[in-house]
Every structure is written in C-alpha cells, then in structure tokens.
C-alpha cells in the first residue's frame, strides 16, 4: 500500500492556507493604515505643542510699554488686537553679530488662509521679519480676557 496525500487533501490544505493568508494580509493592511493615522495625530500634536510653547515664550517675554508720562510709568505690555491678528512688543529676540544689542522687537501672530503664523521683527532699521507658519488648520484667533466666563460681557 502506498502512503501519501490525495488530491482532495492537498486542495483542502491549499484552500485553508489561502484563507489564512488573506486574513493575515488584511490584518497587516489595517495595522499600516492605523499607523498612518497615529503618525498624523502625533505630527499634529507635536506641531500644537511647538506652537503653544512659542506663544507662551512670546507672552512671557512681553515688554512693558510706556504711557504718555514716560518710561517711569510703564504699564503691562499692550497687545494690539485686530480680527485674526495679535501683536505686542517683546524682549529676548536674538541679536545678530555686528548689530547693536537691542534684543527687543515686536511679535505678531495671525491667521491667514487656515494657517496660524508668527512674525518676529527686531527693533533695528531695515530689519523686517519673515513670517513662519506655526500650525495648519486654524480658523480663528481670539483673545479672551481672564476672569470672564463664557457668555459674560466685557
């Protein structure tokens, strides 16, 4: 008597192998798709953290602005508020070699075409600042005074 597999047994084994292979490929495709989604979320979270960190540093370095009485009567930094735009004077901007050491300038945050941008301009003649896109997908920029609850009037 010969020992071996019949054609039916081989076909059944190949069919089972094919089904298991298809399931494995689908599971692997799902893993790659989920990985892509998580990478997008991670990139967005990192961009948000960088943006909030830069905004916090700009606000912490805000310079007091003098009143009409002179420098001795300095008040808290004034913030220019326009629709979709905030700006203020800040210190601590890096000085370039050969430039007078001012370290001061203005910073402006604005929303244009769904992008939140930051522009820092040093206080030196002829030194314009370039705008840097900080975050994509932003629709509005709003300043809310502390201590006001939603629905309260200023």
């Amino acid at each position: 008597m010969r020992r071996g597999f019949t054609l039916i047994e081989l076909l059944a084994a190949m069919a089972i192998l094919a089904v298991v292979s298809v399931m494995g490929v689908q599971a692997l495709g799902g893993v790659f798709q989920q990985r892509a989604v998580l990478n997008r979320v991670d990139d967005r979270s990192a961009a948000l953290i960088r943006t909030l960190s830069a905004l916090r540093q700009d606000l912490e370095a805000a310079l007091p602005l003098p009143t009409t009485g002179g420098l001795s009567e300095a008040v808290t930094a004034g913030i220019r508020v326009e629709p979709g735009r905030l700006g203020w004077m800040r210190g601590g901007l890096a000085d370039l070699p050969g430039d007078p050491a001012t370290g001061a300038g203005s910073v402006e945050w604005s929303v244009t075409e769904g992008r939140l941008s930051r522009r820092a301009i040093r206080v030196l003649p002829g030194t314009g600042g370039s705008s840097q896109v900080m975050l994509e997908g932003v629709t509005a920029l709003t300043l809310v005074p502390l201590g006001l609850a939603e629905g309260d009037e200023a």
Side-chain angles (χ1 to χ4, degrees):
M1 176 188 279
R2 291 186 175 173
R3 308 236 348 125
F5 295 106
T6 65
L7 185 58
I8 299 290
E9 291 171 334
L10 288 175
L11 287 176
M14 288 175 53
I16 292 171
L17 181 64
V19 169
V20 170
S21 297
V22 167
M23 290 172 36
V25 167
Q26 287 178 342
L28 194 58
V31 167
F32 286 135
Q33 184 179 10
Q34 188 64 26
R35 179 179 171 204
V37 169
L38 290 175
N39 281 339
R40 283 195 303 271
V41 169
D42 188 42
D43 291 345
R44 176 77 174 168
S45 296
L48 183 59
I49 289 169
R50 280 192 305 273
T51 301
L52 290 176
S53 178
L55 182 59
R56 180 181 47 91
Q57 288 174 354
D58 283 345
L59 288 170
E60 286 176 350
L63 293 175
L65 296 176
T67 61
T68 55
L71 290 174
S72 62
E73 298 178 13
V75 295
T76 307
I79 297 178
R80 297 178 310 279
V81 180
E82 300 170 15
R85 182 171 294 168
L86 299 174
W88 57 91
M89 294 296 293
R90 70 156 284 173
L93 292 176
D95 293 314
L96 300 174
D99 286 341
T102 59
S106 66
V107 66
E108 178 180 280
W109 289 76
S110 62
V111 175
T112 309
E113 298 175 1
R115 294 183 179 112
L116 178 62
S117 301
R118 177 186 181 269
R119 182 176 179 200
I121 304 169
R122 298 190 58 231
V123 182
L124 289 174
T127 56
S130 61
S131 185
Q132 177 184 8
V133 175
M134 299 298 289
L135 195 61
E136 299 277 343
V138 178
T139 57
L141 182 62
T142 306
L143 180 66
V144 179
L146 291 176
L148 292 180
E150 195 172 312
D152 290 348
E153 297 200 19

